Amino acid sequence: MSSTTLSIVAQRLLLPSLVSLLLLIVSVISDDASTMPTQNMSHKERAELREESREMFYHAYHAYMENAYPADELMPLSCKGRYRGVTPSRGDMDDILGNFSMTLVDSLDTLVLLGDFAEFEHAVKLVIRDVQFDSDIIVSVFETNIRMVGGLLSAHILAEYLQKQADVMHWYKGEMLEMARELGYRLLPAFNTTTGIPHARVNLRLGMKDPQLKKSRETCTACAGTILLEFAALSRLTGDPIFEVRAHAAMDALWKLRHRGSDLMGTVLNIHSGDWIRRDSGVGAGIDSYYEYLFKSYVLLGDDKYLARFNRHYNAVMKYVSEGPMLLDVLMHRPHAKSRNFMDSLLAFWPGLQVLSGDLKPAVQTHEMLYQVMQMHTLIPEAWTVDFQIHWGQHHLRPEFIESTYFLYRATGDHHYLQVGKRALKTLQKYAKVSCGYAAVNDVRTGKHEDRMDSFVLSETFKYLFLLFSDPQDLIINVDEFVFTTEAHLLPLSIAQLGNSTFSFRQSDEHNVLDFMRTCPSSNKLFPEKVRKPLRNFITGSCPRTISGKRLSALDFQASNADHLRAVYDMGITMVSVGDRSQGKVRLFHSFYNAKSQEEGEMGLQFMQEMLELTKMQSMNQLAQLQAVAYALDEQSQDWTALVAGPSHFSPELIGEQFVEGEVVLASPFRACDEKLENASDISGKILVAERGDCTFVSKARLAQKVGATALIVCDNVSGSSGETQPMFAMSGDGKDDVAIPVVFMYSQEFTKLSAAMQRRPQLRVRIMQMVEFKRWQLAKEAHQNETAAAAAAAALAAGTMPKKKPDKEL
C-alpha cells in the first residue's frame, strides 16, 4: 500500500473508501503468517457454495414472483401473497406493508450483484408499471425508508451504471428516482414535530392527518436515526435539499438527547418533548442501526461530526454495555445497572460495524460468541439469556450474523469465516427451505415453521451469503466503491461529490480531539484464531486457565472456575462458606503470610479492594431497581410498611418521587389470561393483582390496562418463594412497547402478607414506588416526627408542665 493511501486513511483528508480500511487491516493481520489457519476452503467448494447461495435466492425469488407478486411479501406455507387490509392483520408488525410490492423493490439490486441483467430489467419495468404510493395506509417511516426508498435509489443507481458499463437499459430515464422522490415527500409530514425527530408512522395519502395518528408520540432511536443515508442520497441525486436537511436535523436532535454523563442513548423517546420513555441502552433492537448510520454517514458524506459522535457512543458502549464477548443492556442514566438479562439477535450486526470502524479484536470475540449460540441451538434464536438459554425462540432468517461474517472474512481473509458461512447456509437449507420459498422458524427448539418470509431475506440474507463466497472478480461491480445501507442497498461513495452542505465540526466546542482518536484501525498484530481460541468453550463453561502474569480482577472472578480459585489462593485469599451452602454465600479473608509471594500478596489486597467496591456497586444497583408495594398498617396509623417487588422491562419505570396509589383488587380469574375478566367493571381506576402462569407477563399487563387498571402486581405461583432469599428479577416483554401502566412482580411470601392485609381491610390502598424512595420517605417522616416531638417537649418544659422523669432502678 502506498504512503499516499495510508495518509488518506490516517488523516481523513479525503473521503475514505471502505476498501482502504479493509486492506489496511488485512496488511496488519497478514504480518504473522505462522498463525495462518490450515483448514482453508478450496476454490472449488467456495464456487459451489456461491452457486448454492444463488440458487437459494432464486428459489425464494421465483416463489414470490409466481405466487405472491404484486403483494408485499410471500407467505411460504400458504404459498400466496400478504396484502395489507386483505390478509389477516398481525397488528403493528404489518406497518412494514404498504401494498407497494416491497419484496420485489427490496430485491432489485441483488439481481444486479448476481449478474442477472435481464431479470433486473424485467423487474424494473414491473416496478415502474405496477407500484404506486397513493394509498390510505399507515406505514412505518423507518421500514419504508430503508426497504422502499433505499431499494428504489439503489436500483436507479445500478440501472444508470449498467447503461454505461453493460450497454443495456437505454430506455430507462430515471423513473425509479422520481418514484423515490414521491415516496420521500409522502414520508416528510412525519418530520413536522417540535424536536425534528420524525413520527414512527405516517399515512401515505393523508400524512399525519389520519385520525389514528393523532396520539402518535413515541418512536425508537433506531427508527428516527436510520434515515440519513437514504435521504442524503435522495437529495443529492434529485437536487432537492429538503430530505437531507430533515434527516440531519433528526440526527442532531437525537445527539442532544444522549445522557451527558454516560454518552449512552435510550431506546424509546417522546418525539414532541424529547423525554426518554425507555432508558435501556444497548446495541440491539430499538437502537442498533442508529450507531450504524452515524459511522456510515461519515463514510458516505465525509462529515467529521458523525465520526466524532460515533466514537463517543462507541467508547460508552464498550465501557458499559460490553462484557467480554457479550453485550448486555444497561440503563443510560445508571450505566452500571443492567436493564435486562437477555440479548437479542439484532446485535449480531455489531461485529460487522466494529470491523468497518477498525476495532477487530472485540468483533472477533462477539462473533465467536454468536457462532457458539448458533451451534448450541442450531439457529440463532431471536433472544437468549446470559446463560445462553432461549428467551424468544423464533428465527426470522435475519441477515445480521451472516453480514458480520462477511465483513470479518473481507477484513481478515480467515477461512474460518467461510466455514461459518457454510454452516449457516446448510442450516437454512435444512431447516428453513420449503417448497414455496423459505419459511421463518417459529421456535428453534421444535423447528416449527411460521408462514413468513420477510423481504430482507432476499435483500440481505442471501445477498451477504453470495458475497461471502464470491471473489471480487466474480462480481459485476466493485462493492468497495459503495456503502451498504442497513438493508444492504448499495449507495456509491461518489454521492459525496454531488454536493455537500455539511462542514467540518472539528473546531466545534461540541467535540474535542479525543473524539477522533479512533479514526484508524488498530495496528496491533492480531490474527482472529488467537482471539477465538480462548473463547472456544465460552458457552459450555469450560474456561481457559488464567494467563500467567496477568492479574485476576474481581469483576472477572468466577467461583466455579478452578483456575480462578487457584489464582486467589496464590494471592493469599481463603474462602469460607457462610450459612446454608445451597445459597452459595462465602466470606473472603486475605493474609500476606498465605500469599505465594509478596507480589501475589499485593495483588490479593487489590483484589479484595475491588471486591468491596463491586459489592457496594451491586447492592446500590439492586436497591435502585427494587420496587416497593407500601401500605399503612391500619386505617388510623401513620406507620407504613413496604413489601419488596421487582420491576418489568416492558412498563414505565417509576423513578424519583413518582408513585401510583390506589385500591387493590384481585383478578377473576386470578391468572388474568382470559380475554375477559369476570370483575372487569370493578377494576377501573384500581391496582390489579394477578397470579403468574398460563400466559406471559406482558399479556396480563395488556389485559389489566385494557380494563382500566392503574397498575398491575403479578404474584408468584411458586409456594414459599421470597424476595429475602431469592434474587429479584425483572419481567421481560415481547419487544412491543404498548404497556403504559407500571407492572411489578412479587414473590409468594410477600403476597401472603399483602393478601392478609387485604382480608383485614377489604378496601386496602397501596402505593407502588421505588424501594429506595420509600426508605427516604420513611426517614423523612421519622425526622419530622422527631422534630415535632422535640418542639412539643421544649414547649412543655418552658410551660412547666413537663412530667418528672422516673428515677432509674438501682442495681
Side-chain angles (χ1 to χ4, degrees):
M1 184 179 292
S2 69
S3 60
T4 303
T5 304
L6 288 173
S7 175
I8 290 173
V9 175
Q11 300 179 32
R12 302 292 189 184
L13 297 178
L14 298 175
L15 182 69
S17 161
L18 288 181
V19 68
S20 302
L21 293 176
L22 294 170
L23 288 175
L24 179 57
I25 297 171
V26 172
S27 68
V28 167
I29 292 167
S30 300
D31 286 344
D32 190 359
S34 63
T35 56
M36 184 70 73
T38 55
Q39 294 183 346
N40 283 358
M41 182 178 288
S42 68
H43 290 294
K44 180 176 181 292
E45 183 179 12
R46 191 176 174 194
E48 290 171 351
L49 290 168
R50 180 180 68 246
E51 292 311 305
E52 187 171 359
S53 64
R54 185 197 303 272
E55 291 167 5
M56 292 171 73
F57 171 84
Y58 281 117
H59 178 69
Y61 178 78
H62 290 313
Y64 165 76
M65 293 301 294
E66 293 167 10
N67 302 286
Y69 181 80
D72 282 322
E73 290 179 349
L74 167 71
M75 296 191 292
L77 302 184
S78 306
C79 206
K80 61 183 181 181
R82 188 186 302 280
Y83 292 91
R84 186 77 175 269
V86 177
T87 312
S89 173
R90 300 175 297 175
D92 292 345
M93 190 186 302
D94 280 347
D95 287 346
I96 63 174
L97 309 176
N99 289 345
F100 36 37
S101 304
M102 181 174 62
T103 294
L104 181 59
V105 173
D106 220 3
S107 306
L108 291 173
D109 56 9
T110 307
L111 290 168
V112 176
L113 282 174
L114 295 175
D116 194 345
F117 302 158
E119 183 58 30
F120 174 70
E121 182 172 3
H122 172 64
V124 168
K125 288 179 178 178
L126 288 178
V127 168
I128 294 171
R129 186 192 73 187
D130 297 338
V131 175
Q132 60 86 32
F133 307 119
D134 185 25
S135 303
D136 185 9
I137 293 176
I138 294 174
V139 297
S140 162
V141 174
F142 163 73
E143 296 287 1
T144 303
N145 174 64
I146 64 172
R147 302 196 197 202
M148 294 296 298
V149 176
L152 289 167
L153 289 174
S154 182
H156 162 74
I157 290 163
L158 293 175
E160 291 196 334
Y161 178 88
L162 293 181
Q163 284 180 333
K164 297 175 183 177
Q165 302 297 324
D167 197 29
V168 295
M169 295 183 68
H170 294 293
W171 57 267
Y172 179 72
K173 305 299 180 185
E175 290 88 345
M176 285 186 295
L177 178 59
E178 287 306 309
M179 294 176 71
R181 188 211 296 256
E182 179 194 345
L183 185 54
Y185 272 115
R186 292 180 184 273
L187 298 181
L188 279 181
F191 290 78
N192 294 331
T193 63
T194 53
T195 60
I197 297 171
H199 290 268
R201 302 183 301 160
V202 69
N203 187 297
L204 287 175
R205 178 180 295 167
L206 305 176
M208 296 308 299
K209 296 179 181 179
D210 189 307
Q212 298 180 60
L213 298 175
K214 284 185 177 179
K215 295 183 179 180
S216 172
R217 68 183 186 279
E218 297 178 9
T219 193
C220 70
T221 306
C223 300
T226 313
I227 305 289
L228 183 52
L229 292 186
E230 291 83 0
F231 269 35
L234 183 56
S235 282
R236 298 188 184 204
L237 290 169
T238 63
D240 192 340
I242 185 64
F243 305 106
E244 184 171 355
V245 168
R246 291 299 183 90
H248 279 300
M251 293 294 267
D252 291 343
L254 285 173
W255 172 247
K256 291 175 183 176
L257 298 180
R258 75 194 184 283
H259 190 275
R260 300 305 173 96
S262 67
D263 276 333
L264 292 173
M265 304 284 284
T267 52
V268 179
L269 58 120
N270 186 304
I271 57 172
H272 299 301
S273 66
D275 294 335
W276 288 105
I277 296 169
R278 289 190 64 85
R279 295 177 174 85
D280 304 59
S281 189
V283 298
I287 196 170
D288 47 357
S289 49
Y290 164 71
Y291 297 129
E292 179 184 0
Y293 270 41
L294 280 176
F295 183 77
K296 290 183 177 179
S297 293
Y298 162 67
V299 174
L300 184 66
L301 307 177
D303 192 335
D304 280 355
K305 74 177 180 182
Y306 291 115
L307 175 64
R309 292 175 184 181
F310 171 79
N311 283 339
R312 288 271 286 276
H313 285 318
Y314 183 83
N315 291 335
V317 167
M318 298 309 289
K319 180 178 181 181
Y320 299 116
V321 178
S322 175
E323 287 198 6
M326 297 192 296
L327 296 155
L328 301 173
D329 281 18
V330 300
L331 297 173
M332 61 178 286
H333 59 299
R334 292 202 302 269
H336 294 291
K338 300 301 179 190
S339 66
R340 66 184 194 181
N341 63 349
F342 63 91
M343 293 167 274
D344 65 73
S345 62
L346 287 173
L347 66 77
F349 91 102
W350 186 251
L353 184 59
Q354 289 180 308
V355 169
L356 294 177
S357 68
D359 202 5
L360 199 58
K361 183 175 180 179
V364 172
Q365 292 174 325
T366 297
H367 183 275
E368 177 63 18
M369 180 270 292
L370 292 165
Y371 183 40
Q372 291 186 33
V373 170
M374 187 183 89
Q375 291 173 302
M376 183 178 188
H377 299 295
T378 306
L379 294 160
I380 295 180
E382 189 71 356
W384 60 93
T385 60
V386 292
D387 58 351
F388 305 102
Q389 301 306 305
I390 293 172
H391 183 74
W392 296 326
Q394 305 96 324
H395 178 80
H396 297 144
L397 316 184
R398 293 195 186 278
E400 286 79 12
F401 177 68
I402 299 171
E403 173 188 357
S404 289
T405 305
Y406 165 69
F407 282 116
L408 275 163
Y409 176 70
R410 287 296 313 277
T412 66
D414 186 349
H415 281 224
H416 166 78
Y417 298 108
L418 294 178
Q419 300 294 346
V420 171
K422 175 184 176 181
R423 178 156 185 163
L425 182 151
K426 296 297 184 182
T427 302
L428 289 176
Q429 291 284 66
K430 183 174 181 180
Y431 295 100
K433 187 175 183 180
V434 293
S435 60
C436 190
Y438 287 82
V441 177
N442 191 52
D443 193 325
V444 299
R445 288 163 291 201
T446 64
K448 182 181 178 182
H449 285 132
E450 185 177 346
D451 202 5
R452 169 179 179 179
M453 187 181 81
D454 290 89
S455 66
F456 57 66
V457 178
L458 288 89
S459 173
E460 300 183 77
T461 306
F462 296 146
K463 180 183 292 174
Y464 281 122
L465 276 174
F466 180 79
L467 289 172
L468 175 63
F469 299 116
S470 300
D471 286 319
Q473 60 268 23
D474 298 327
L475 303 174
I476 192 65
I477 62 174
N478 182 1
V479 293
D480 293 323
E481 295 176 353
F482 293 81
V483 171
F484 286 98
T485 69
T486 195
E487 191 73 7
H489 293 308
L490 289 86
L491 298 178
L493 291 169
S494 58
I495 276 179
Q497 302 168 8
L498 299 179
N500 192 348
S501 60
T502 61
F503 58 95
S504 174
F505 274 65
R506 288 210 181 189
Q507 303 305 317
S508 168
D509 292 337
E510 185 181 13
H511 302 294
N512 58 57
V513 68
L514 295 177
D515 295 334
F516 299 92
M517 293 298 285
R518 289 198 58 265
T519 58
C520 289
S522 168
S523 60
N524 295 326
K525 288 188 177 181
L526 168 72
F527 197 82
E529 176 61 19
K530 288 185 176 181
V531 181
R532 290 194 303 270
K533 191 172 182 180
L535 297 170
R536 189 153 291 157
N537 299 306
F538 179 75
I539 289 182
T540 59
S542 178
C543 302
R545 289 192 56 131
T546 306
I547 300 172
S548 177
K550 180 181 179 182
R551 187 182 68 81
L552 176 66
S553 70
L555 187 62
D556 296 331
F557 175 70
Q558 296 178 359
S560 60
N561 187 311
D563 293 318
H564 288 190
L565 293 174
R566 189 179 300 109
V568 296
Y569 180 79
D570 290 345
M571 290 188 282
I573 298 171
T574 54
M575 291 192 300
V576 178
S577 297
V578 179
D580 187 353
R581 282 181 173 272
S582 64
Q583 296 180 15
K585 295 181 179 179
V586 296
R587 182 170 294 166
L588 303 182
F589 296 93
H590 177 255
S591 171
F592 269 104
Y593 298 104
N594 294 333
K596 195 173 181 180
S597 65
Q598 181 179 349
E599 182 184 4
E600 297 269 19
E602 293 173 352
M603 290 166 62
L605 185 61
Q606 190 173 352
F607 180 92
M608 293 292 286
Q609 291 171 341
E610 289 177 352
M611 190 62 78
L612 283 172
E613 290 299 317
L614 194 60
T615 303
K616 286 180 186 177
M617 189 183 302
Q618 289 174 342
S619 298
M620 290 173 64
N621 289 340
Q622 289 171 0
L623 183 60
Q625 293 184 62
L626 288 180
Q627 304 292 300
V629 177
Y631 55 89
L633 293 175
D634 56 64
E635 293 181 1
Q636 288 76 34
S637 175
Q638 294 296 313
D639 295 328
W640 284 58
T641 187
L643 302 173
V644 66
S648 73
H649 289 307
F650 54 81
S651 67
E653 182 182 11
L654 295 174
I655 58 175
E657 297 181 356
Q658 296 175 340
F659 64 87
V660 173
E661 184 172 336
E663 183 182 331
V664 286
V665 58
L666 299 180
S668 178
F670 194 26
R671 293 204 167 175
C673 291
D674 297 343
E675 291 187 9
K676 224 172 191 182
L677 292 176
E678 296 171 4
N679 59 338
S681 59
D682 300 329
I683 296 171
S684 181
K686 299 177 183 178
I687 296 174
L688 186 66
V689 181
E691 187 182 40
R692 180 182 188 178
D694 292 347
C695 62
T696 62
F697 294 124
V698 71
S699 298
K700 299 176 192 292
R702 291 189 180 113
L703 183 57
Q705 180 173 280
K706 182 179 178 181
V707 296
T710 57
L712 172 66
I713 300 171
V714 180
C715 61
D716 199 6
N717 58 357
V718 178
S719 178
S721 63
S722 171
E724 295 182 2
T725 59
Q726 293 174 265
M728 191 56 69
F729 70 95
M731 295 176 286
S732 297
D734 56 6
K736 296 181 181 178
D737 296 314
D738 56 356
V739 176
I741 61 172
V743 182
V744 297
F745 177 82
M746 182 180 285
Y747 281 115
S748 61
Q749 286 192 19
E750 282 74 22
F751 173 68
T752 299
K753 296 176 183 177
L754 178 63
S755 180
M758 292 173 66
Q759 290 175 2
R760 291 194 306 270
R761 296 157 59 191
Q763 294 183 326
L764 178 71
R765 293 180 66 82
V766 302
R767 179 178 291 187
I768 301 176
M769 60 197 303
Q770 272 189 311
M771 180 61 80
V772 67
E773 288 302 319
F774 175 80
K775 300 287 187 186
R776 289 176 184 153
W777 181 47
Q778 290 295 90
L779 289 172
K781 279 177 57 180
E782 290 175 8
H784 178 69
Q785 290 171 356
N786 292 338
E787 289 174 4
T788 304
L797 186 62
T801 59
M802 189 76 172
K804 292 183 180 180
K805 183 179 179 183
K806 184 177 179 180
D808 292 335
K809 183 178 180 180
E810 294 181 0
L811 294 176

